């Protein structure tokens, strides 16, 4: 990729970095920092890439809500007719509040509670991606109680190595997700026999930040063989869900385009009638968002120079958690000799870094943008150190819309009370 930035709508102009038609400096002045900023055009373009690639065949693109669960972001996808992949009752509530359609929701996750299952049955979701025999039984019982039949897919574990970070690889036998391939057939028979289940589909998700479609094609091949085996027994599925996983460029990775990623899968599927589902997260929102932060202090040292910023690991956990790389860009370029900095936050942990060893020409008070932060950024944030979480803004052309207010300190302890002591 030759563009200066991985984000398609980020550029550098006379007023510094611009997301679409809005200067990041103006966003900081108006909303403060730290602030997550997303580009609506980039969100739409990412979704459209899936839509166009799947054009002409029955397909459903379910945005993985865990990657970015802001109502503003979800509403952009809902308006495009997206489906959603959820892993909790909380995410279902968010989808509905954002205008998403329940009948386009798939519910993944190995630990669905009774309350969450009831909530999803009431809402009338598209499908439960069931991850164990015990969950099948629970779902059947709760559907009976609700006087309905629950739509189910089994999430199978194709035991394919996705060749990604071990923390985000999910399709191997040793992972807790899905049911073993060898158990799938008997479990489908059991599901088909349970009176309050409607067997609808099959699902798999092998991992995240995949930079090549080969492992997914391998998994899909195994899944299709199973689908045909089921059909031979009279268990016919109407959708095949291949999960999420397509990676993005954070640094110098060269992930395939959405079209190139999907092409071998579409070829494999040919004229098959089943609806093809995907659950992309990172590839929809990752490069559509950045974290805007301000330098509080510059702290030169003998071994290292630190730029201490007002964002921290509670805002963006990926560097601390996965040693993940996020590009750092000074919002306004300065005519200074660059220096090498570790970008760190105010939290009392050595792991509180956002980036290491970056050459930057900056002064105290300058703004920095941590790029490719639109996925698993805000959605993984916390209040550690009693830090109110960041504001979130969506830019749309020349306009900037606040889609989440900055938290207040009072809201952090609003549900707590001092212990009354005798
Ligand atoms: N579907 C299922 C069942 C999943 O478990 C996931 C992600 C997705 C879809 C979306 O995958 P994506 O398209 O975003 O790769 N926190 C980590 C990523 C964890 C991914 C967990 N599952 C990170 O920041 O890299």
């Amino acid at each position: 990729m030759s563009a200066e930035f991985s984000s398609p709508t980020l550029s550098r102009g006379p007023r510094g970095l611009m997301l679409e038609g809005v200067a990041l400096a103006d966003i900081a002045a108006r909303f403060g920092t730290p602030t997550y900023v997303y580009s609506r055009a980039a969100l739409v373009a990412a979704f459209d890439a899936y839509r166009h690639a799947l054009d002409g065949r029955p397909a459903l693109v379910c945005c993985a809500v865990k990657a970015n669960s802001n109502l503003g972001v979800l509403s952009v996808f809902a308006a495009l007719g997206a489906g959603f992949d959820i892993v909790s009752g909380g995410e279902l509530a968010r989808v509905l509040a954002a205008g998403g359609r329940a009948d386009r929701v798939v519910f993944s996750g190995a630990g669905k509670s009774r309350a969450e299952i009831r909530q999803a049955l009431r809402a009338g979701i598209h499908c439960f991606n069931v991850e164990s025999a015990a969950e099948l039984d629970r779902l059947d019982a709760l559907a009976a109680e609700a006087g309905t039949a629950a739509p189910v897919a089994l999430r199978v574990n194709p035991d394919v190595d996705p060749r990604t970070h071990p923390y985000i690889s999910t399709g191997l036998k040793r992972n807790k997700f899905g049911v073993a391939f060898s158990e799938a057939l008997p479990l489908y028979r059991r599901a088909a026999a349970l009176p309050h289940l409607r067997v609808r589909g099959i699902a798999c998700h092998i991992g995240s930040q995949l930079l090549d479609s080969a492992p997914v094609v391998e998994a899909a091949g195994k899944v299709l063989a199973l689908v045909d085996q089921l059909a031979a027994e009279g268990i016919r599925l109407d959708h095949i869900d291949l999960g999420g996983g397509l990676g993005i460029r954070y640094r110098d990775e060269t992930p395939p385009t959405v079209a190139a990623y999907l092409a071998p899968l579409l070829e494999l599927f040919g004229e098959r009638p089943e609806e093809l589902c995907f659950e992309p997260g990172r590839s929809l929102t990752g490069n559509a968002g950045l974290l805007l932060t301000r330098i509080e202090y510059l702290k030169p040292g003998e071994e290292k120079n630190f730029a201490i910023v007002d964002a921290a690991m509670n805002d963006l956990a990926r560097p601390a958690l996965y040693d993940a790389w996020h590009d750092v860009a000074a919002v306004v370029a300065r005519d200074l000799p660059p220096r090498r900095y570790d970008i760190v936050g105010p939290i009392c942990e050595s792991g509180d870094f956002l980036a290491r060893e970056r050459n930057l020409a900056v002064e105290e008070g300058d703004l920095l943008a941590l790029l490719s932060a639109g996925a698993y950024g805000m959605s993984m944030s916390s209040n550690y150190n009693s830090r109110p979480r960041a504001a979130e803004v969506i830019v749309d052309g020349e306009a900037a819309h606040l889609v989440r207010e900055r938290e207040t300190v009072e809201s952090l302890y609003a549900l707590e009370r001092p212990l009354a002591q005798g």
Side-chain angles (χ1 to χ4, degrees):
M1 213 182 280
S2 59
E4 187 188 358
F5 301 115
S6 305
S7 169
T9 51
L10 187 67
S11 61
R12 195 176 281 286
R15 301 179 52 230
L17 286 183
M18 308 278 295
L19 195 58
E20 300 191 29
V22 181
L24 292 181
D26 290 346
I27 298 213
R30 192 164 150 208
F31 303 106
T33 52
T35 292
Y36 275 96
V37 194
Y38 311 107
S39 155
R40 181 176 178 278
L43 295 169
V44 171
F47 186 81
D48 274 348
Y50 278 91
R51 241 194 340 198
H52 290 150
L54 294 166
D55 203 25
R57 78 165 338 279
L60 182 62
V61 180
C62 296
C63 312
V65 176
K66 65 169 83 72
N68 190 314
S69 47
N70 178 280
L71 255 53
V73 171
L74 299 181
S75 70
V76 169
F77 294 129
L80 298 171
F84 295 92
D85 166 48
I86 60 161
V87 291
S88 70
E91 288 190 350
L92 175 55
R94 282 178 174 276
V95 166
L96 299 179
R101 281 175 53 166
D103 62 357
R104 292 187 182 162
V105 166
V106 296
F107 192 171
S108 306
K112 302 175 191 78
S113 72
R114 289 188 174 80
E116 287 174 323
I117 291 174
R118 286 194 185 101
Q119 178 192 353
L121 285 171
R122 268 196 310 274
I125 65 167
H126 183 58
C127 199
F128 290 85
N129 290 348
V130 169
E131 303 213 13
S132 64
E135 189 190 331
L136 269 187
D137 292 339
R138 178 180 283 192
L139 188 54
D140 181 62
L142 293 173
E145 188 186 287
T148 181
V152 298
L154 281 182
R155 173 167 172 190
V156 297
N157 190 335
D159 199 28
V160 165
D161 185 352
R163 299 184 278 277
T164 183
H165 193 294
Y167 283 17
I168 49 180
S169 122
T170 45
L172 284 170
K173 272 188 187 153
R174 61 172 178 269
N175 296 124
K176 71 173 174 182
F177 304 100
V179 301
F181 224 73
S182 56
E183 289 170 27
L185 209 48
L187 275 179
Y188 266 108
R189 291 183 189 129
R190 177 152 156 203
L194 286 170
H196 295 280
L197 300 184
R198 246 183 313 120
V199 175
R200 296 287 303 273
I202 189 163
C204 76
H205 169 83
I206 61 168
S208 202
Q209 185 55 11
L210 309 178
L211 296 173
D212 163 8
S213 46
V216 186
V217 176
E218 189 186 333
K222 290 187 172 185
V223 166
L224 286 185
L226 181 57
V227 171
D228 292 339
Q229 211 175 345
L230 288 166
E233 291 201 12
I235 302 176
R236 287 199 173 71
L237 306 185
D238 46 36
H239 74 254
I240 298 176
D241 177 345
L242 295 176
L246 173 58
I248 61 169
R249 187 176 82 148
Y250 285 99
R251 186 179 185 178
D252 50 11
E253 303 88 336
T254 50
T257 60
V258 170
Y261 175 77
L262 295 181
L265 291 168
L266 291 172
E267 197 182 311
L268 183 69
F269 273 73
E271 299 293 312
R272 291 187 72 107
E274 295 93 349
E275 177 181 59
L276 191 47
C277 302
F278 291 93
E279 304 169 357
R282 194 188 315 267
S283 55
L284 291 180
T285 59
N287 274 325
L290 56 86
L291 175 58
L292 186 59
T293 183
R294 193 179 289 282
I295 299 176
E296 293 277 5
Y297 301 98
L298 289 178
K299 188 170 169 182
E302 271 175 31
E303 270 188 37
K304 271 184 180 292
N305 304 311
F306 292 102
I308 304 172
V309 298
D310 62 5
M313 65 189 284
N314 75 298
D315 299 299
L316 181 62
R318 304 190 70 258
L321 210 50
Y322 315 117
D323 209 12
W325 176 283
H326 287 266
D327 273 345
V328 180
V331 169
V332 176
R334 285 191 184 277
D335 201 9
L336 286 175
R339 246 184 158 160
R340 183 160 291 205
Y341 291 101
D342 278 13
I343 319 301
V344 301
I347 285 184
C348 302
E349 299 240 11
S350 312
D352 183 22
F353 65 90
L354 298 172
R356 285 173 161 158
E357 311 262 314
R358 306 302 173 89
N359 292 325
L360 293 168
V362 288
E363 289 180 357
E364 193 176 298
D366 281 2
L367 293 166
L368 297 179
L370 283 135
L371 307 185
S372 313
Y376 307 107
M378 184 66 173
S379 65
M380 288 174 70
S381 66
S382 78
N383 293 118
Y384 189 37
N385 281 205
S386 287
R387 291 170 48 82
R389 274 182 293 179
E392 292 178 284
V393 168
I394 295 183
V395 301
D396 182 12
E398 314 276 300
H401 304 279
L402 184 65
V403 289
R404 191 180 210 267
E405 288 177 34
R406 185 175 309 289
E407 287 178 347
T408 63
V409 168
E410 295 70 33
S411 75
L412 302 189
Y413 55 79
L415 302 176
E416 302 172 25
R417 61 219 49 173
L419 182 65
Q421 291 169 88

